[in-house]
């Protein structure tokens, strides 16, 4: 499954952020996944338990936030919450809609401990 | 990240590098960095470069996706027979193993690069970049990319193509678009293939398959075709020729195109 590729891409981004932030370790990673992103949160979790080994996120927790699917109608302008295989406007029934939420695949936030924080608190 | 242009700052990640990310200190002394970065931004960046390559060489790139065995290679064989006098065609073949599909294409007198992905069940933009540098893009008008047979993963990875085509053979059942919405939603043209078998598979109703596609808010054409009998191939070929014309108009205006549902916020090109 491609969840492993997605997970590796995520870890590359996390390591980049950790380096820039002078992190000692990463404790929590939050991703936002829509049902139309084509990535299954459970499979991403499984991939993460394998892929995180040896990275700065080896001890981190992965949190996946699922987004609801919402479409905006190009015909009548109404917005509706819909199912992944029924993306029609609930107000007028038109199929010409645009997905405004539910297809995202985002790294939302990274929680980390800084190296410098530790030094800062240490008595001189 | 970007071997050819030397850049590694994208629209997507520059706010990281520029220290823009919002910081919040949690009560236990940890730092929470807010990011909002597309997880596949590195792939998408490479895809943007691939698209630039195609456009600079006036190539129209079409990505074909379907389950294993739905008839992608067979469709390409028929398409080559029909169009090879008129257009110069190139093919990139993606498979887990074997050069079989590339050999079938070469047997038609068309150049083909085979990518064997091993365990990866989809093509990504980096694999396509490697393959396109093995081709002479100046001697190609249309490049077909046959993705790995898989109805799930290929939809998530932009390759730099201009258009997506999703195939559904009548042996797979007319409810597939409802079960695999992501890949059918990505289609700029849906081909229902192997229509010659409808005579023996009367439980597949093309109207139902089309209606399941429409439920995904897809306006793209849905064509019933058979590479074997030739039925409906005229619809496919005229769509394709229309795409070639549109691409040359776009190029004369310095524009490009992404598949209809390219991820939100994705840049057409990676650099200006
Ligand atoms: N009856 C009939 N058989 C077809 C048609 N198109 C393809 N086939 C057969 O279906 C089988 C698979 O076709 P391919 O073209 O190899 O399918 P594919 O999608 O390229 O398969 P993978 O690359 O393995 O995913 C072959 O035996 C083809 O001859 C068609 O229009 N009608
Ligand atoms: Mg094939
Ligand atoms: Zn996969
Ligand atoms: Zn409406
Ligand atoms: Zn290049
Ligand atoms: Zn670049």
């Amino acid at each position: 499954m491609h969840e492993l590729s997605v997970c590796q891409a995520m870890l590359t981004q996390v390591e980049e952020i950790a380096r820039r932030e002078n992190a000692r370790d990463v404790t929590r990673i939050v991703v936002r996944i829509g049902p139309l992103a084509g990535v299954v949160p459970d499979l991403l979790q499984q991939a993460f338990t394998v892929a995180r080994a040896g990275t700065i996120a080896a001890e981190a927790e992965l949190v996946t936030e699922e987004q609801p699917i919402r479409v905006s109608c190009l015909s009548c302008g109404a917005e509706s919450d819909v199912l992944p295989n029924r993306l029609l406007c609930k107000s007028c029934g038109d199929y010409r809609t645009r997905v405004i939420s539910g297809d995202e695949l985002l790294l939302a936030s990274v929680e980390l401990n800084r190296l410098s924080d530790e030094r800062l608190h240490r008595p001189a | 990240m970007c071997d050819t242009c030397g850049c590694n700052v994208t629209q997507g990640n520059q706010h990281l590098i520029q220290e823009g990310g919002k910081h919040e200190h949690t009560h236990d002394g940890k730092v929470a960095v807010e990011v909002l970065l597309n997880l596949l931004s590195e792939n998408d960046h490479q895809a943007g470069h691939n698209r630039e390559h195609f456009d600079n060489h006036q190539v129209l790139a079409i990505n074909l996706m379907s389950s294993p065995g739905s008839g992608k290679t067979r469709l390409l064989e028929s398409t080559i027979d029909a169009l090879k006098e008129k257009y110069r065609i190139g093919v990139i073949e993606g498979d887990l193993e074997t050069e079989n599909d590339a050999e079938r294409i070469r047997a038609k007198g068309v150049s083909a690069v085979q990518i064997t992905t091993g365990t990866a069940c989809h093509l990504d933009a980096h694999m396509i970049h490697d393959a396109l540098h093995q081709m002479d893009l100046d001697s190609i008008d249309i490049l077909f990319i046959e993705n790995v047979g898989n109805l799930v993963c290929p939809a998530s990875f932009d390759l730099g193509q201009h258009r997506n085509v999703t195939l559904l053979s009548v042996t797979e059942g007319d409810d597939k678009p409802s079960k695999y919405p992501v890949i059918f939603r990505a289609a700029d043209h849906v081909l229902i293939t192997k229509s010659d078998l409808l005579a023996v598979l009367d439980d597949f109703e093309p109207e139902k398959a089309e209606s399941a596609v429409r439920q995904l808010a897809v306006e793209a054409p849905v064509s019933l075709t058979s590479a074997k009998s030739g039925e409906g191939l005229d619809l496919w070929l005229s769509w394709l020729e229309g795409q070639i014309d549109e691409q040359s108009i776009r190029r004369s205006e310095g524009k490009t195109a992404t598949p209809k549902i390219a991820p939100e916020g994705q840049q057409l090109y990676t650099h200006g």
Side-chain angles (χ1 to χ4, degrees):
Chain A
M1 275 298 120
H2 60 309
E3 278 76 8
L4 187 58
S5 318
V6 172
C7 190
Q8 281 158 346
M10 175 189 82
L11 283 166
T12 306
Q13 292 177 350
V14 167
E15 293 202 296
E16 172 103 21
I17 293 163
R19 199 174 317 123
R20 193 200 67 209
E21 296 288 337
N22 232 344
R24 175 171 43 112
D25 59 2
V26 170
T27 51
R28 194 173 138 100
I29 301 168
V30 182
V31 294
R32 218 168 277 170
I33 299 177
L36 290 174
V39 169
V40 182
D42 284 351
L43 295 178
L44 189 67
Q45 286 286 358
Q46 279 178 32
F48 182 63
T49 59
V50 178
R52 69 181 169 185
T55 72
I56 195 153
E59 304 285 323
E61 161 195 28
L62 176 64
V63 179
T64 55
E65 294 176 347
E66 285 198 57
Q67 300 291 106
I69 306 177
R70 222 173 146 70
V71 297
S72 155
C73 181
L74 298 176
S75 171
C76 78
E79 292 188 3
S80 355
D81 288 315
V82 294
L83 296 171
N85 53 15
R86 206 177 151 79
L87 305 177
L88 310 179
C89 173
K90 278 191 178 164
S91 180
C92 75
D94 205 299
Y95 71 84
R96 283 164 301 163
T97 63
R98 199 169 62 83
V99 169
I100 51 175
S101 141
D103 62 351
E104 53 282 291
L105 185 59
L106 295 173
L107 177 59
S109 70
V110 177
E111 201 175 279
L112 48 87
N113 287 305
R114 278 219 181 97
L115 274 172
S116 47
D117 285 0
E118 209 176 41
R119 285 195 213 105
L120 227 58
H121 297 308
R122 212 175 281 155
Chain B
M1 176 188 292
C2 206
D3 305 336
T4 41
C5 74
C7 80
N8 52 21
V9 182
T10 71
Q11 204 76 17
N13 70 12
Q14 65 183 3
H15 65 287
L16 292 180
I17 290 154
Q18 290 168 356
E19 291 273 352
K22 234 201 258 167
H23 293 59
E24 245 177 75
H25 288 264
T26 61
H27 54 277
D28 51 2
K30 293 190 175 91
V31 182
V33 186
E34 206 180 295
V35 193
L36 292 185
L37 176 63
N38 190 315
L39 287 185
L40 293 175
S41 58
E42 186 176 340
N43 180 79
D44 294 348
H45 179 89
Q46 180 62 60
H49 274 297
N50 295 352
R51 197 168 283 118
E52 274 179 307
H53 278 300
F54 298 142
D55 287 339
N56 290 341
H57 297 275
Q58 317 280 336
V59 172
L60 171 73
I62 306 269
N63 176 36
L64 301 177
M65 303 182 285
S66 79
S67 311
S70 302
K72 299 180 291 300
T73 310
R74 185 72 189 263
L75 176 75
L76 287 180
E77 290 169 323
S78 303
T79 305
I80 291 166
D81 285 340
L83 296 183
K84 81 171 168 196
E85 302 303 327
K86 202 165 166 191
Y87 302 103
R88 299 164 305 164
I89 300 173
V91 177
I92 295 177
E93 284 287 346
D95 274 298
L96 296 173
E97 302 289 346
T98 84
E99 287 254 336
N100 296 353
D101 284 0
E103 275 157 20
R104 282 165 65 184
I105 298 299
R106 289 180 199 128
K108 294 278 175 194
V110 159
S111 73
V113 174
Q114 177 79 51
I115 301 174
T116 45
T117 58
T119 56
C121 37
H122 55 267
L123 294 173
D124 67 31
H126 295 92
M127 297 178 197
I128 294 299
H129 186 246
D130 289 346
L132 71 86
H133 278 288
Q134 295 171 44
M135 315 187 88
D136 177 14
L137 292 181
D138 280 328
S139 64
I140 294 174
D141 302 310
I142 321 175
L143 175 70
F144 291 103
I145 301 170
E146 182 183 333
N147 220 306
V148 180
N150 178 337
L151 219 41
V152 180
C153 318
S156 298
F157 295 83
D158 186 8
L159 306 177
Q161 75 274 32
H162 300 101
R163 294 290 179 243
N164 281 328
V165 177
T166 304
L167 286 70
L168 167 65
S169 69
V170 301
T171 56
E172 295 168 69
D174 49 27
D175 60 347
K176 281 294 173 297
S178 305
K179 290 186 175 168
Y180 298 90
V182 179
I183 205 154
F184 284 95
R185 203 168 80 83
D188 296 292
H189 196 157
V190 175
L191 293 184
I192 300 175
T193 60
K194 309 192 190 181
S195 68
D196 57 289
L197 297 176
L198 279 175
V200 288
L201 284 165
D202 52 1
D203 51 348
F204 186 103
E205 291 179 34
E207 302 72 28
K208 271 198 189 160
E210 174 163 0
S211 141
V213 170
R214 296 289 170 241
Q215 306 257 323
L216 304 176
V218 171
E219 291 182 70
V222 177
S223 307
L224 187 62
T225 61
S226 166
K228 189 171 182 180
S229 73
E231 181 188 0
L233 285 185
D234 52 335
L235 297 170
W236 157 247
L237 294 170
S238 63
W239 178 83
L240 209 50
E241 296 200 53
Q243 293 302 318
I244 294 170
D245 294 344
E246 283 179 26
Q247 171 73 352
S248 69
I249 292 168
R250 278 194 299 265
R251 289 319 296 148
S252 66
E253 296 171 346
K255 295 182 184 152
T256 190
T258 55
K260 189 192 52 170
I261 60 135
E264 199 73 41
Q266 183 187 301
Q267 301 299 302
L268 295 184
Y269 285 140
T270 49
H271 321 280

